[in-house]
Each structure stands twice: as C-alpha cells, then as structure tokens.
C-alpha cells in the first residue's frame, strides 16, 4: 500500500496573496514552477514565506518573481549565504510567456503572484494576469464582503 508524503498532504497552499484579490481583477491564471535553493525549500516547509509584496516581471523572455520573502532558518549551514529577498526565476512554457508579454504590454495589465503551493513535492507559484481595480471597485468589494458577513451572522443566529 502506497502512502502519501505528510508535508505536501497536510497543506498544499504555502502562502497566499490576499491583497492581490482586493487590488486586481484576475483575467487568467497560470501555474509556474520556481527555481529555488535547498535552504529555501527547507524554510518554505517551515512556513517562513511572505508573498504580499511580491510581483512578477518579464525580462529577456523569462519570468522572475521579485519581493517574495523567504526567511532563512536559524539552523542554516554556515557555508550558505542566504538572501531572503533575492529575485527568483519562474518556469513556464515559452509560448505562454510570449503570449503573456503581449498581454502585459497592453495598458492596465500586470502579472501578480496569487499563491505558492505544493504539487507533487515541488513548489509552484500561481500567477495571474490582472487588471488594477479603481477605487470605487474596491469599495464595492468591501461592501459585498460586509454584506456576506451580515447574512452569515443572521443565518447563524437563526439556526440557534
């Protein structure tokens, strides 16, 4: 009988960028691999990741994520010089990157990291092609969220 790995089975989502959903409308989503060093994978397993200030850029036909913080563990090796905010390369098929370049060059579009998650023992980054929200759209989002909360409270008190 085969057993699953406990590290990837317990929580597939590592970090989420909740601020992105508030600030942008998502048009398309893409799953990209990441080029990581050994100490970074260990720190990610320990939950030392922050994605909120991250953004994606395309340079020379390659995608990079900037602003992703992976804090090194205190038990890191002495011969490794960990840099928590280094630029990390994202792996995606060339035609997908070319198509995204065309979209990003259009006015108002940007690439935003949504979350980091485990897939088959590897760290993947979900990237969205997004368009910025205007101030009134953000207010509508807040109003909808508060309305849903009030409905849930009413339903909860009614069921008692």
């Amino acid at each position: 009988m085969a057993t699953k790995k406990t590290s990837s089975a317990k929580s597939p989502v590592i970090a989420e960028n909740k601020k992105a959903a508030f600030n942008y409308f998502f048009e398309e989503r893409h799953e990209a691999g990441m080029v990581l060093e050994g100490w970074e994978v260990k720190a990610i397993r320990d939950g030392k990741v922050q994605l909120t200030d991250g953004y994606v850029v395309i340079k020379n036909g390659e995608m990079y994520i900037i602003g992703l913080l992976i804090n090194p563990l205190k038990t890191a090796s002495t011969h490794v010089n960990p840099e928590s905010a280094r630029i990390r390369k994202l792996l995606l098929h060339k035609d997908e990157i070319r198509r995204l370049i065309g979209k990003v060059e259009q006015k108002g579009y940007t690439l935003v990291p949504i979350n980091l998650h485990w897939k088959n023992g590897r760290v993947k980054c979900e990237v969205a092609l997004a368009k910025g929200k205007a101030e009134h759209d953000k207010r509508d989002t807040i109003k909808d969220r508060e309305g849903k909360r009030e409905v849930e409270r009413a339903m909860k008190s009614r069921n008692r």
Side-chain angles (χ1 to χ4, degrees):
M1 224 162 105
T3 58
K4 285 186 176 179
K5 285 185 178 178
T6 54
S7 63
S8 60
K10 65 180 175 183
S11 173
V13 175
I14 301 164
E16 220 168 344
N17 190 354
K18 292 179 182 172
K19 200 161 76 169
F22 180 71
N23 291 328
Y24 299 98
F25 291 118
F26 299 144
E27 302 281 325
E28 302 173 8
R29 293 171 181 241
H30 297 277
E31 187 178 66
M34 292 184 71
V35 177
L36 296 172
E37 295 177 359
W39 68 268
E40 292 174 322
V41 177
K42 288 181 181 182
I44 287 172
R45 280 204 178 102
D46 206 37
K48 307 272 187 194
V49 183
Q50 185 178 354
L51 187 62
T52 50
D53 296 329
Y55 60 98
V56 178
V57 294
I58 300 176
K59 290 182 188 171
N60 302 327
E62 296 179 336
M63 287 178 49
Y64 297 94
I65 186 165
I66 300 173
L68 169 67
L69 290 176
I70 299 176
N71 296 320
L73 298 172
K74 289 182 173 59
T75 58
S77 178
T78 54
H79 69 278
V80 174
N81 188 13
E83 186 182 335
S84 62
R86 75 178 183 89
I87 298 171
R88 293 167 183 89
K89 188 175 178 179
L90 293 176
L91 306 171
L92 214 60
H93 289 282
K94 225 173 215 162
D95 2 325
E96 285 184 88
I97 294 175
R98 277 195 212 111
R99 206 171 57 70
L100 286 174
I101 288 171
K103 295 271 189 164
V104 168
E105 287 174 351
Q106 290 179 10
K107 189 177 179 195
Y109 283 104
T110 185
L111 290 170
V112 181
I114 301 174
N115 69 28
L116 292 179
H117 59 275
W118 293 105
K119 185 174 183 182
N120 299 331
R122 301 201 191 302
V123 178
K124 301 287 183 175
C125 179
E126 191 171 358
V127 178
L129 181 68
K131 199 168 207 166
K133 283 185 181 179
E135 198 63 40
H136 62 87
D137 293 327
K138 291 180 185 178
R139 280 191 230 114
D140 290 343
T141 304
I142 293 171
K143 194 188 308 178
D144 291 344
R145 190 184 320 142
E146 288 175 358
K148 286 179 185 176
R149 252 189 232 138
E150 287 178 25
V151 169
E152 286 177 17
R153 269 192 224 117
M155 293 297 287
K156 190 175 180 181
S157 64
R158 186 171 174 241
N159 289 338
R160 286 185 179 179

